[in-house]
Amino acid sequence: MSIGRGNSILASEITPEHVYLNRRQFMATAGLLAGGLAFGDFSSRQAFPLAGPRPQGDDKLTPWKDVTGYNNFYEFGTGKGDPKENAHTLRPHPWSVEIVGEVGKPGTYDFDDLIRPFTIEERVYRHRCVEGWSMVIPWMGFPLKDLIARLEPTSRAKYVEFVTLLDPEQMPGQRRRILEWPYVEGLRLDEAMNPLTLMVTGVYGKPLPNQNGAPLRLHVPWKYGFKSGKSLVRIRFRETQPQTTWNLAAPREYGFYANVNPHVDHPRWSQKRERRIGELFPRDTEIFNGYGDQVAYLYEGMDLRVHF
Ligand SMILES: Nc1nc2c(c(=O)[nH]1)N[C@H]1C(S)=C(S)[C@@H](COP(=O)(O)O)O[C@H]1N2
Ligand SMILES: [Mo]
Protein backbone atom coordinates (compact mmCIF):
# COMPACT_ATOMS: atom_id res chain seq x y z
CA MET A 1 0.00 0.00 0.00
CA SER A 2 2.46 2.63 1.05
CA ILE A 3 4.79 1.76 -1.80
CA GLY A 4 1.92 2.13 -4.25
CA ARG A 5 0.99 5.49 -2.86
CA GLY A 6 4.59 6.58 -3.07
CA ASN A 7 4.68 5.63 -6.74
CA SER A 8 1.55 7.63 -7.44
CA ILE A 9 3.16 10.74 -6.01
CA LEU A 10 6.09 10.32 -8.36
CA ALA A 11 3.64 9.74 -11.17
CA SER A 12 2.05 13.10 -10.48
CA GLU A 13 5.34 14.80 -11.12
CA ILE A 14 6.27 13.13 -14.37
CA THR A 15 3.05 12.27 -16.22
CA PRO A 16 0.33 14.35 -17.86
CA GLU A 17 -2.50 15.14 -15.52
CA HIS A 18 -5.06 12.77 -17.01
CA VAL A 19 -2.74 9.83 -16.77
CA TYR A 20 -1.95 10.81 -13.24
CA LEU A 21 -5.62 11.05 -12.30
CA ASN A 22 -6.25 7.62 -13.74
CA ARG A 23 -3.38 6.24 -11.76
CA ARG A 24 -4.80 7.82 -8.64
CA GLN A 25 -8.17 6.23 -9.35
CA PHE A 26 -6.46 2.93 -9.86
CA MET A 27 -4.56 3.25 -6.63
CA ALA A 28 -7.75 4.20 -4.83
CA THR A 29 -9.50 1.15 -6.21
CA ALA A 30 -6.56 -1.03 -5.27
CA GLY A 31 -6.81 0.41 -1.78
CA LEU A 32 -10.49 -0.49 -1.58
CA LEU A 33 -9.80 -4.01 -2.79
CA ALA A 34 -7.03 -4.42 -0.27
CA GLY A 35 -9.71 -3.78 2.31
CA GLY A 36 -8.89 -3.17 5.89
CA LEU A 37 -5.13 -3.38 5.49
CA ALA A 38 -2.51 -0.86 6.48
CA PHE A 39 -3.75 2.68 6.62
CA GLY A 40 -2.23 4.15 9.72
CA ASP A 41 1.48 4.00 9.16
CA PHE A 42 2.10 6.36 6.26
CA SER A 43 -0.50 8.94 7.12
CA SER A 44 1.57 11.41 9.04
CA ARG A 45 4.78 11.40 7.08
CA GLN A 46 3.97 11.49 3.37
CA ALA A 47 3.05 14.68 1.59
CA PHE A 48 0.29 14.26 -0.99
CA PRO A 49 -0.62 16.24 -4.06
CA LEU A 50 -3.87 18.12 -3.53
CA ALA A 51 -6.54 18.83 -6.07
CA GLY A 52 -5.78 22.52 -5.69
CA PRO A 53 -2.60 24.58 -5.67
CA ARG A 54 -0.38 24.18 -2.64
CA PRO A 55 0.87 27.60 -1.65
CA GLN A 56 2.14 26.30 1.66
CA GLY A 57 3.88 23.35 0.14
CA ASP A 58 3.70 20.79 2.89
CA ASP A 59 0.21 19.44 3.35
CA LYS A 60 0.67 16.12 5.07
CA LEU A 61 -2.24 13.79 5.53
CA THR A 62 -3.91 14.10 8.91
CA PRO A 63 -3.62 10.72 10.62
CA TRP A 64 -6.58 8.33 10.54
CA LYS A 65 -7.02 8.53 14.28
CA ASP A 66 -7.62 12.29 14.11
CA VAL A 67 -9.76 12.20 10.97
CA THR A 68 -12.02 9.64 12.64
CA GLY A 69 -11.60 10.63 16.29
CA TYR A 70 -11.81 14.44 16.31
CA ASN A 71 -15.14 15.29 14.74
CA ASN A 72 -18.06 17.66 14.62
CA PHE A 73 -21.35 15.76 14.37
CA TYR A 74 -23.73 17.30 16.89
CA GLU A 75 -26.28 14.53 16.34
CA PHE A 76 -23.92 12.46 18.50
CA GLY A 77 -22.82 15.11 20.99
CA THR A 78 -20.93 18.39 20.94
CA GLY A 79 -17.52 17.13 22.16
CA LYS A 80 -14.87 16.34 19.55
CA GLY A 81 -14.62 12.76 20.84
CA ASP A 82 -18.38 12.21 21.12
CA PRO A 83 -19.12 11.20 17.50
CA LYS A 84 -16.53 8.42 17.55
CA GLU A 85 -17.81 7.17 20.87
CA ASN A 86 -21.54 7.45 20.13
CA ALA A 87 -22.09 7.05 16.38
CA HIS A 88 -22.32 3.25 16.56
CA THR A 89 -26.11 3.70 16.89
CA LEU A 90 -26.29 4.95 13.29
CA ARG A 91 -27.31 2.24 10.81
CA PRO A 92 -25.95 3.33 7.41
CA HIS A 93 -27.00 0.15 5.56
CA PRO A 94 -29.47 -0.15 3.99
CA TRP A 95 -29.85 3.55 3.27
CA SER A 96 -31.92 5.55 0.85
CA VAL A 97 -31.65 9.06 -0.50
CA GLU A 98 -34.62 11.11 -1.70
CA ILE A 99 -34.13 13.35 -4.70
CA VAL A 100 -36.82 16.04 -4.70
CA GLY A 101 -37.78 19.44 -6.04
CA GLU A 102 -36.80 21.07 -9.33
CA VAL A 103 -35.36 17.97 -10.93
CA GLY A 104 -36.22 15.73 -13.85
CA LYS A 105 -35.45 12.44 -12.10
CA PRO A 106 -36.95 12.73 -8.62
CA GLY A 107 -37.36 9.63 -6.51
CA THR A 108 -36.19 7.57 -3.59
CA TYR A 109 -32.94 5.88 -4.50
CA ASP A 110 -31.24 3.06 -2.68
CA PHE A 111 -27.76 4.28 -1.73
CA ASP A 112 -26.01 1.50 -3.66
CA ASP A 113 -28.05 2.24 -6.79
CA LEU A 114 -27.43 5.96 -6.44
CA ILE A 115 -23.64 5.65 -6.39
CA ARG A 116 -23.25 2.67 -8.74
CA PRO A 117 -22.74 4.71 -11.94
CA PHE A 118 -19.77 6.59 -10.53
CA THR A 119 -16.10 5.76 -10.25
CA ILE A 120 -14.98 6.23 -6.68
CA GLU A 121 -11.73 8.18 -6.69
CA GLU A 122 -9.44 9.42 -3.96
CA ARG A 123 -9.30 13.18 -3.41
CA VAL A 124 -6.96 14.70 -0.86
CA TYR A 125 -8.66 17.88 0.40
CA ARG A 126 -7.92 20.50 2.99
CA HIS A 127 -10.73 20.72 5.52
CA ARG A 128 -11.06 23.97 7.51
CA CYS A 129 -13.51 24.20 10.38
CA VAL A 130 -14.96 27.62 11.21
CA GLU A 131 -13.68 26.99 14.75
CA GLY A 132 -10.09 27.43 13.57
CA TRP A 133 -8.71 23.92 13.15
CA SER A 134 -7.93 22.16 9.91
CA MET A 135 -7.02 18.77 8.52
CA VAL A 136 -5.86 17.21 5.23
CA ILE A 137 -8.08 14.27 4.40
CA PRO A 138 -7.87 11.57 1.71
CA TRP A 139 -11.57 11.29 0.92
CA MET A 140 -13.05 8.67 -1.40
CA GLY A 141 -15.93 9.79 -3.54
CA PHE A 142 -17.13 11.26 -6.82
CA PRO A 143 -17.89 14.79 -8.03
CA LEU A 144 -21.38 15.94 -7.12
CA LYS A 145 -21.65 17.46 -10.61
CA ASP A 146 -21.74 13.97 -12.13
CA LEU A 147 -24.70 13.01 -9.95
CA ILE A 148 -26.46 16.30 -10.67
CA ALA A 149 -26.02 15.79 -14.41
CA ARG A 150 -27.79 12.42 -14.19
CA LEU A 151 -30.63 13.82 -12.10
CA GLU A 152 -31.38 16.53 -14.69
CA PRO A 153 -32.26 19.66 -12.71
CA THR A 154 -34.95 21.84 -14.28
CA SER A 155 -34.21 25.35 -15.55
CA ARG A 156 -35.74 26.69 -12.31
CA ALA A 157 -33.15 24.95 -10.09
CA LYS A 158 -30.78 27.57 -8.65
CA TYR A 159 -29.83 26.00 -5.31
CA VAL A 160 -29.28 22.55 -3.87
CA GLU A 161 -30.30 21.66 -0.31
CA PHE A 162 -28.72 18.76 1.61
CA VAL A 163 -30.62 17.18 4.50
CA THR A 164 -29.22 14.87 7.16
CA LEU A 165 -31.15 11.94 8.66
CA LEU A 166 -33.73 12.85 11.31
CA ASP A 167 -34.04 9.95 13.74
CA PRO A 168 -33.41 10.46 17.47
CA GLU A 169 -33.18 6.68 17.92
CA GLN A 170 -30.15 6.51 15.65
CA MET A 171 -28.95 10.03 16.47
CA PRO A 172 -29.47 10.52 20.20
CA GLY A 173 -28.09 14.06 20.10
CA GLN A 174 -31.29 15.06 18.30
CA ARG A 175 -33.16 14.67 21.60
CA ARG A 176 -31.45 17.88 22.68
CA ARG A 177 -32.47 21.05 20.94
CA ILE A 178 -28.99 22.48 20.42
CA LEU A 179 -29.77 22.98 16.74
CA GLU A 180 -32.89 22.71 14.61
CA TRP A 181 -33.02 19.12 13.36
CA PRO A 182 -32.51 17.76 10.84
CA TYR A 183 -29.23 19.43 9.94
CA VAL A 184 -29.68 21.25 6.62
CA GLU A 185 -27.08 22.82 4.40
CA GLY A 186 -27.13 24.22 0.90
CA LEU A 187 -25.14 25.45 -2.07
CA ARG A 188 -25.85 27.56 -5.10
CA LEU A 189 -26.23 25.23 -8.09
CA ASP A 190 -23.04 26.53 -9.71
CA GLU A 191 -21.12 25.86 -6.49
CA ALA A 192 -22.58 22.37 -6.40
CA MET A 193 -21.51 21.88 -10.03
CA ASN A 194 -17.89 22.95 -9.40
CA PRO A 195 -15.60 19.98 -10.06
CA LEU A 196 -14.14 20.22 -6.54
CA THR A 197 -17.46 19.62 -4.79
CA LEU A 198 -17.34 16.01 -3.68
CA MET A 199 -19.92 13.41 -2.67
CA VAL A 200 -17.94 11.47 -0.12
CA THR A 201 -18.43 7.76 0.45
CA GLY A 202 -15.16 6.84 2.14
CA VAL A 203 -11.87 7.94 3.64
CA TYR A 204 -8.39 6.39 3.69
CA GLY A 205 -9.55 3.79 1.16
CA LYS A 206 -12.35 2.49 3.38
CA PRO A 207 -16.08 3.15 3.59
CA LEU A 208 -16.94 6.19 5.71
CA PRO A 209 -16.96 5.57 9.43
CA ASN A 210 -20.26 6.59 11.01
CA GLN A 211 -18.69 9.55 12.78
CA ASN A 212 -17.60 11.02 9.45
CA GLY A 213 -21.12 10.91 8.01
CA ALA A 214 -21.76 7.40 6.70
CA PRO A 215 -22.81 6.36 4.20
CA LEU A 216 -22.87 9.61 2.21
CA ARG A 217 -21.70 13.14 3.02
CA LEU A 218 -20.58 16.19 1.18
CA HIS A 219 -17.24 17.96 1.23
CA VAL A 220 -16.85 21.46 -0.20
CA PRO A 221 -13.17 22.14 0.43
CA TRP A 222 -13.12 25.92 -0.09
CA LYS A 223 -15.86 26.45 2.50
CA TYR A 224 -15.93 26.08 6.25
CA GLY A 225 -16.61 22.51 7.32
CA PHE A 226 -20.17 23.14 8.47
CA LYS A 227 -21.30 23.47 4.83
CA SER A 228 -20.50 19.78 4.36
CA GLY A 229 -23.53 17.91 5.68
CA LYS A 230 -23.22 14.32 6.86
CA SER A 231 -25.37 11.18 6.57
CA LEU A 232 -27.54 12.71 3.85
CA VAL A 233 -31.04 11.38 3.23
CA ARG A 234 -32.42 14.09 0.94
CA ILE A 235 -31.14 16.32 -1.83
CA ARG A 236 -33.56 19.01 -2.90
CA PHE A 237 -33.21 21.18 -6.00
CA ARG A 238 -34.72 24.60 -5.35
CA GLU A 239 -35.45 27.91 -6.97
CA THR A 240 -34.80 29.79 -3.72
CA GLN A 241 -31.91 29.81 -1.26
CA PRO A 242 -32.42 27.19 1.47
CA GLN A 243 -32.61 28.03 5.16
CA THR A 244 -29.53 26.40 6.60
CA THR A 245 -29.09 25.13 10.14
CA TRP A 246 -26.16 27.28 11.24
CA ASN A 247 -27.49 30.36 9.50
CA LEU A 248 -30.79 29.90 11.39
CA ALA A 249 -28.95 29.35 14.68
CA ALA A 250 -26.72 32.45 14.43
CA PRO A 251 -27.18 34.48 11.24
CA ARG A 252 -24.54 37.07 12.15
CA GLU A 253 -21.94 34.36 12.67
CA TYR A 254 -22.61 31.82 9.94
CA GLY A 255 -23.52 33.11 6.52
CA PHE A 256 -24.92 31.07 3.66
CA TYR A 257 -21.69 31.25 1.65
CA ALA A 258 -19.20 30.45 4.43
CA ASN A 259 -16.23 30.64 2.10
CA VAL A 260 -12.95 30.27 3.97
CA ASN A 261 -11.71 33.86 4.18
CA PRO A 262 -8.92 35.15 6.42
CA HIS A 263 -10.08 38.73 5.78
CA VAL A 264 -13.54 38.25 7.27
CA ASP A 265 -13.41 37.38 10.95
CA HIS A 266 -16.05 35.50 12.83
CA PRO A 267 -17.71 38.05 15.18
CA ARG A 268 -16.18 36.27 18.16
CA TRP A 269 -12.74 35.28 16.83
CA SER A 270 -10.18 35.87 14.08
CA GLN A 271 -10.11 33.68 10.97
CA LYS A 272 -6.60 34.77 9.95
CA ARG A 273 -4.90 31.63 11.17
CA GLU A 274 -5.67 27.98 11.75
CA ARG A 275 -4.30 25.10 13.75
CA ARG A 276 -3.58 22.14 11.51
CA ILE A 277 -4.38 19.12 13.67
CA GLY A 278 -1.07 17.51 14.63
CA GLU A 279 1.01 20.68 14.17
CA LEU A 280 2.42 22.83 16.92
CA PHE A 281 2.36 26.27 15.33
CA PRO A 282 -0.62 27.94 13.69
CA ARG A 283 -0.47 28.56 9.97
CA ASP A 284 -2.00 31.33 7.90
CA THR A 285 -5.45 30.62 6.54
CA GLU A 286 -5.74 31.14 2.79
CA ILE A 287 -8.59 32.71 0.90
CA PHE A 288 -10.94 29.97 -0.35
CA ASN A 289 -8.79 27.58 1.69
CA GLY A 290 -6.16 27.74 -1.08
CA TYR A 291 -8.56 26.72 -3.89
CA GLY A 292 -9.06 30.23 -5.29
CA ASP A 293 -7.78 29.35 -8.77
CA GLN A 294 -10.64 26.90 -9.09
CA VAL A 295 -13.48 28.71 -7.35
CA ALA A 296 -12.92 32.49 -7.31
CA TYR A 297 -14.93 32.87 -10.55
CA LEU A 298 -18.06 31.85 -8.64
CA TYR A 299 -17.95 35.04 -6.60
CA GLU A 300 -16.87 37.66 -9.12
CA GLY A 301 -18.58 40.96 -8.40
CA MET A 302 -19.81 39.82 -4.98
CA ASP A 303 -18.80 41.60 -1.78
CA LEU A 304 -17.54 38.73 0.36
CA ARG A 305 -17.94 40.83 3.51
CA VAL A 306 -21.65 41.03 2.83
CA HIS A 307 -22.00 37.51 1.47
CA PHE A 308 -19.87 35.86 4.16
N1 LIG B 1 -25.26 16.44 10.04
C1 LIG B 1 -24.18 17.12 10.40
N2 LIG B 1 -23.25 17.45 9.47
C2 LIG B 1 -22.14 18.14 9.83
C3 LIG B 1 -21.96 18.58 11.17
C4 LIG B 1 -22.96 18.22 12.14
O1 LIG B 1 -22.88 18.56 13.33
N3 LIG B 1 -24.04 17.50 11.71
N4 LIG B 1 -20.84 19.32 11.50
C5 LIG B 1 -20.18 20.05 10.40
C6 LIG B 1 -18.91 20.63 10.80
S1 LIG B 1 -18.94 22.02 11.77
C7 LIG B 1 -17.72 20.14 10.35
S2 LIG B 1 -16.25 20.92 10.70
C8 LIG B 1 -17.66 18.89 9.57
C9 LIG B 1 -16.77 17.89 10.28
O2 LIG B 1 -16.55 16.77 9.47
P1 LIG B 1 -15.56 15.63 9.99
O3 LIG B 1 -15.96 15.31 11.41
O4 LIG B 1 -15.73 14.47 9.07
O5 LIG B 1 -14.17 16.20 9.97
O6 LIG B 1 -18.94 18.28 9.41
C10 LIG B 1 -20.00 19.17 9.17
N5 LIG B 1 -21.21 18.42 8.88
MO1 LIG C 1 -16.85 22.98 11.64
XYZ file of all heavy atoms in Angstrom, residues 72 80 127-131 133 183 224-227 246, ligand 2:
137
model
N -16.841 16.913 14.324
C -18.063 17.655 14.623
C -19.226 16.904 13.996
O -19.269 16.715 12.767
C -18.008 19.076 14.042
C -17.393 20.066 15.002
O -17.377 19.849 16.216
N -16.881 21.166 14.476
N -15.571 16.853 20.737
C -14.867 16.339 19.549
C -14.756 14.820 19.559
O -14.644 14.183 18.512
C -13.458 16.928 19.452
C -13.402 18.432 19.368
C -14.122 18.971 18.168
C -14.355 20.446 18.358
N -15.436 20.965 17.526
N -9.442 20.638 4.830
C -10.728 20.718 5.519
C -10.540 21.734 6.639
O -9.735 21.528 7.539
C -11.020 19.314 6.058
C -12.222 19.157 6.919
N -13.359 19.901 6.817
C -12.458 18.272 7.926
C -14.248 19.473 7.715
N -13.716 18.497 8.398
N -11.243 22.865 6.544
C -11.056 23.965 7.507
C -12.358 24.180 8.256
O -13.377 24.543 7.672
C -10.626 25.227 6.743
C -10.620 26.548 7.518
C -9.617 26.566 8.661
N -9.202 27.912 9.010
C -9.894 28.760 9.798
N -11.047 28.397 10.303
N -9.400 29.962 10.058
N -12.327 23.953 9.559
C -13.515 24.203 10.378
C -13.560 25.678 10.746
O -12.526 26.303 10.972
C -13.489 23.339 11.642
S -14.890 23.654 12.752
N -14.765 26.211 10.835
C -14.957 27.616 11.208
C -14.379 27.885 12.601
O -14.058 29.014 12.937
C -16.467 27.972 11.111
C -17.252 27.324 12.235
C -16.695 29.476 11.082
N -14.220 26.819 13.396
C -13.683 26.994 14.750
C -12.187 27.281 14.754
O -11.643 27.644 15.794
C -13.932 25.727 15.581
C -15.405 25.447 15.806
C -15.674 24.027 16.267
O -14.781 23.152 16.141
O -16.794 23.779 16.745
N -9.618 25.056 13.365
C -8.713 23.917 13.152
C -8.875 23.408 11.724
O -9.873 23.676 11.056
C -8.962 22.790 14.162
C -10.389 22.342 14.296
C -11.319 22.820 15.180
C -11.067 21.337 13.519
N -12.524 22.180 14.998
C -12.403 21.269 13.983
C -10.672 20.489 12.478
C -13.340 20.388 13.451
C -11.617 19.612 11.944
C -12.921 19.568 12.430
N -30.282 18.531 10.429
C -29.226 19.426 9.937
C -29.443 19.640 8.435
O -29.589 18.690 7.669
C -27.901 18.742 10.184
C -26.651 19.590 10.039
C -26.019 20.116 11.171
C -26.074 19.820 8.798
C -24.853 20.851 11.060
C -24.908 20.559 8.676
C -24.303 21.079 9.808
O -23.149 21.799 9.689
N -16.048 26.606 4.899
C -15.928 26.084 6.254
C -16.667 24.750 6.348
O -17.658 24.504 5.662
C -16.480 27.092 7.264
C -15.626 28.348 7.351
C -16.133 29.595 7.026
C -14.284 28.266 7.742
C -15.348 30.736 7.094
C -13.487 29.398 7.807
C -14.015 30.636 7.480
O -13.228 31.758 7.537
N -16.145 23.899 7.239
C -16.615 22.514 7.322
C -18.109 22.361 7.519
O -18.690 21.359 7.081
N -18.748 23.343 8.164
C -20.169 23.144 8.473
C -21.048 23.099 7.225
O -22.198 22.645 7.293
C -20.670 24.188 9.486
C -20.783 25.609 8.987
C -21.924 26.037 8.330
C -19.761 26.526 9.213
C -22.050 27.355 7.901
C -19.866 27.849 8.789
C -21.013 28.264 8.128
N -20.515 23.576 6.069
C -21.296 23.475 4.833
C -21.442 22.028 4.352
O -22.270 21.741 3.485
C -20.638 24.288 3.716
C -20.618 25.783 3.929
C -22.004 26.401 4.063
C -22.804 26.403 2.769
N -24.132 27.052 2.978
N -27.020 26.342 10.489
C -26.164 27.275 11.241
C -26.545 28.717 10.983
O -26.418 29.579 11.847
C -24.688 27.026 10.916
C -24.172 25.858 11.695
C -23.914 24.612 11.237
C -23.899 25.834 13.107
N -23.496 23.794 12.264
C -23.477 24.523 13.418
C -23.980 26.776 14.134
C -23.118 24.137 14.713
C -23.626 26.395 15.426
C -23.203 25.090 15.700
Mo -16.855 22.980 11.644
